[in-house]
Amino acid sequence: MTYSHPDSLRGHVAIVTGAAQGVGKGVAAALLERGASVLLVDIQDELLATTAAELTAIGPVERLVADLRDPDSAGRIVAAAVGAFGAVNGLVNNAIATNEPKEFVDITAEDLALGYEVGPRATFLLMQAVHPVMVEAGGGSIVNLGSGTGTGGEPRWGGYAAAKEGIRGLSKVAALEWGRDNIRVNVICPFAESDGVKLWKQFAPDDYAKAVRRVPMKRIGDVRTDVGALVAFLLGADATFITGQTIHVDGGIGCFR
């Protein structure tokens, strides 16, 4: 069974980073299915072009190749969305990068910098860049991607956890400050069958099976129908009084966090 709310995002414009594959692609598809226009952002040029061609069959799509490690990319991304569609109503900060897994003592300053630059710093800069555009539009909604690796901790993922928890901290403060502007900011922490998880399943099937057994619902989430549907809800009018929240979309693993 899948949940869909046709036209719930009709007239909305959204930016999705890390949209070429995995969770980002699933989120973009879910938004398009509900009537949104979407700017797909990713550093992977060829894969992004393939994804954009595929998603064009669902709804209005534009794509932009950008390296989020470049601080100037935030303004360029927001300007591209406004140029293509005239406004920005939703922002989904999904992109992240990591050199892990690594033992904590082996994490380097460069490893931390990579996660920070693509994660919390890029999220921060994109939020700042989109704020005046959303204010002019009368409000908007931002969904940032956290992780259960941060909220619960996970051995060998120290830098990644730090980056994801940094994103959560930024999100809480923005939610408190921007409520007056009718801009909502929420965090989701998914456990979904992304491309990375599929590789994990292929190369470490026993570990994958063990992880699935830990899920109360005994499955891993779908990037479009589980994660994407939640993001669509948070971007839309049905969630107009929800802000500053962290929602674990993980089948129940994070219920105590």
Side-chain angles (χ1 to χ4, degrees):
M1 176 181 290
T2 60
Y3 169 75
S4 182
H5 189 340
D7 295 326
S8 64
L9 295 178
R10 186 69 60 192
H12 285 237
V13 176
I15 298 168
V16 180
T17 68
Q21 62 185 358
V23 170
K25 179 180 178 181
V27 167
L31 304 185
L32 290 164
E33 287 173 340
R34 291 157 176 80
S37 301
V38 180
L39 176 67
L40 310 172
V41 179
D42 208 290
I43 194 173
Q44 303 176 87
D45 192 353
E46 292 185 6
L47 185 58
L48 183 63
T50 299
T51 295
E54 178 183 340
L55 295 183
T56 297
I58 306 176
V61 165
E62 293 289 339
R63 73 180 191 271
L64 180 67
V65 177
D67 184 347
L68 297 181
R69 292 172 296 182
D70 176 5
D72 294 331
S73 65
R76 191 161 62 90
I77 290 166
V78 173
V82 173
F85 300 118
V88 180
N89 312 103
L91 169 64
V92 183
N93 284 301
N94 165 69
I96 192 65
T98 181
N99 289 329
E100 295 169 341
K102 287 186 177 182
E103 295 291 340
F104 196 92
V105 295
D106 295 328
I107 298 171
T108 67
E110 290 74 20
D111 295 332
L112 283 175
L114 175 63
Y116 168 74
E117 290 170 5
V118 181
R121 189 181 72 174
T123 296
F124 165 75
L125 292 172
L126 275 163
M127 289 169 67
Q128 281 193 332
V130 84
H131 178 262
V133 177
M134 287 187 171
V135 170
E136 184 177 354
S141 178
I142 298 170
V143 177
N144 295 327
L145 273 285
S147 174
T149 301
T151 62
E154 188 71 31
R156 296 172 59 82
W157 293 93
Y160 181 83
K164 287 298 190 179
E165 285 297 270
I167 290 170
R168 281 217 305 151
L170 291 170
S171 302
K172 292 177 183 180
V173 174
L176 294 173
E177 292 188 10
W178 293 355
R180 67 176 71 92
D181 299 320
N182 194 32
I183 297 173
R184 296 176 289 108
V185 185
N186 292 289
V187 175
I188 67 166
C189 298
F191 184 35
E193 196 133 9
S194 64
D195 293 70
V197 170
K198 289 176 182 177
L199 284 174
W200 177 39
K201 180 180 180 180
Q202 178 181 349
F203 292 106
D206 292 341
D207 290 343
Y208 174 88
K210 182 179 179 181
V212 173
R213 289 195 296 269
R214 289 175 52 216
V215 180
M217 297 190 75
K218 304 305 177 187
R219 68 178 180 88
I220 291 182
D222 182 85
V223 294
R224 180 175 59 84
T225 58
D226 292 318
V227 181
L230 175 60
V231 174
F233 167 73
L234 291 172
L235 293 187
D238 291 331
T240 52
F241 204 50
I242 300 175
T243 193
Q245 303 303 307
T246 296
I247 303 173
H248 286 81
V249 51
D250 61 6
I253 294 176
C255 65
F256 298 113
R257 298 175 185 167

